[in-house]
Amino acid sequence: MAKIFCVANQKGGVGKTTTTVNLAAGLAKLNQRVLLVDLDPQGNATMGAGINKAGLAASTYEVMLGESDVATARLRSEAGRFDVLPSNRELAGAEVEMVVLDNRERRLKLALAAVDQDYDFILIDCPPALSMLTLNGLCAAHGVIIPMQCEYYALEGLSDLVNTIKKVHANLNQDLKIIGLLRVMFDPRMTLSQQVSAQLEQHFGDKVFKTIIPRNVRLAEAPSYGMPGVTFDPSSKGAQAYIAFGAEMVERIKKM
């Protein structure tokens, strides 16, 4: 069975999509079978994996409403060598339409159960809000990966997210736990970054991943070419860091 992980943070602009896409590509380089689930109506993970989100025959939207299944809707990212359950702006409508459906918090979990034998990892890119979509991601997952910048406001948002995860664990998904915190867009020249990083290690201990993702121009450029940074420029510091993060994830789940 696949290990299913949400990449989540209620704060926007913290590198959730960059992390999801590049972790998927990094794991694929390690010969892991990976499905990336784009649960964000913006569809940035879909585009970052090299898939055109316009005119999809089926997407996360149809899967969430029970009009299609994952096996039918998934597409192959040739650039990243992993599968994608793609998304586009139609998914925003699912928020309203799911309100009246049975098992509305577990629609994604039920859909993924049909394909979890096909993969080693399923990675879910969540939108930057505690919405019905994010709740579906948290209910489907075994754990949460939290990407965060080492700055003051990030610490403020982290406490809210931890409380949300505790509530979902208590009421909807007892398997859910925080797998780890990933420091992203890290600039070692900034004293604040060093201070916040040290605070994270002090408070969260081994929940903080050893791998640190540096601020890297090549990672930022890659989506405009429809490629993960890991395959766009494998020699860049950002790509090397995500490959190392993939290896750390493989080791970490062996201990779960």
Side-chain angles (χ1 to χ4, degrees), residues 26-73:
L27 288 168
K29 278 185 174 286
L30 297 168
N31 298 314
Q32 301 295 304
R33 301 168 301 158
V34 183
L35 172 67
L36 186 159
V37 177
D38 192 349
L39 208 53
D40 190 336
Q42 294 181 81
N44 289 337
T46 299
M47 297 290 281
I51 294 168
N52 187 355
K53 65 184 179 182
L56 295 171
S59 68
T60 311
Y61 171 75
E62 284 82 9
V63 170
M64 296 292 277
L65 295 182
E67 297 171 4
S68 181
D69 56 28
V70 177
T72 302

Side-chain angles (χ1 to χ4, degrees), residues 183 195-206 208:
R183 291 161 288 183
Q195 290 173 341
V196 173
S197 178
Q199 281 183 284
L200 288 175
E201 290 176 341
Q202 181 181 345
H203 288 292
F204 291 93
D206 61 4
V208 180

Side-chain angles (χ1 to χ4, degrees), residues 74-187:
R74 64 188 172 189
L75 298 171
R76 186 70 174 170
S77 168
E78 297 301 334
R81 291 175 45 221
F82 54 83
D83 288 350
V84 180
L85 180 56
S87 169
N88 56 27
R89 60 188 178 190
E90 285 185 0
L91 184 58
E95 291 276 0
V96 177
E97 295 175 63
M98 285 182 350
V99 169
V100 297
L101 297 179
D102 294 334
N103 289 313
R104 60 186 180 183
E105 300 94 351
R106 295 182 174 87
R107 307 287 293 184
L108 182 62
K109 179 176 183 176
L110 295 171
L112 292 177
V115 296
D116 68 0
Q117 299 289 341
D118 297 346
Y119 301 102
D120 300 304
F121 287 88
I122 297 177
L123 304 176
I124 305 171
D125 184 33
C126 292
L130 182 58
S131 60
M132 184 59 68
L133 293 172
T134 300
L135 198 55
N136 263 269
L138 293 173
C139 286
H142 298 118
V144 185
I145 298 166
I146 305 174
M148 60 178 295
Q149 292 175 258
C150 289
E151 57 184 33
Y152 176 73
Y153 288 125
L155 285 176
E156 289 283 294
L158 180 61
S159 61
D160 293 338
L161 180 58
V162 170
N163 288 332
T164 296
I165 292 168
K166 286 179 178 176
K167 289 176 182 176
V168 174
H169 170 82
N171 299 300
L172 294 167
N173 180 5
Q174 294 186 348
D175 293 335
L176 188 68
K177 58 185 175 183
I178 296 173
I179 299 301
L181 282 70
L182 178 67
R183 291 161 288 183
V184 299
M185 303 184 217
F186 189 81
D187 188 344

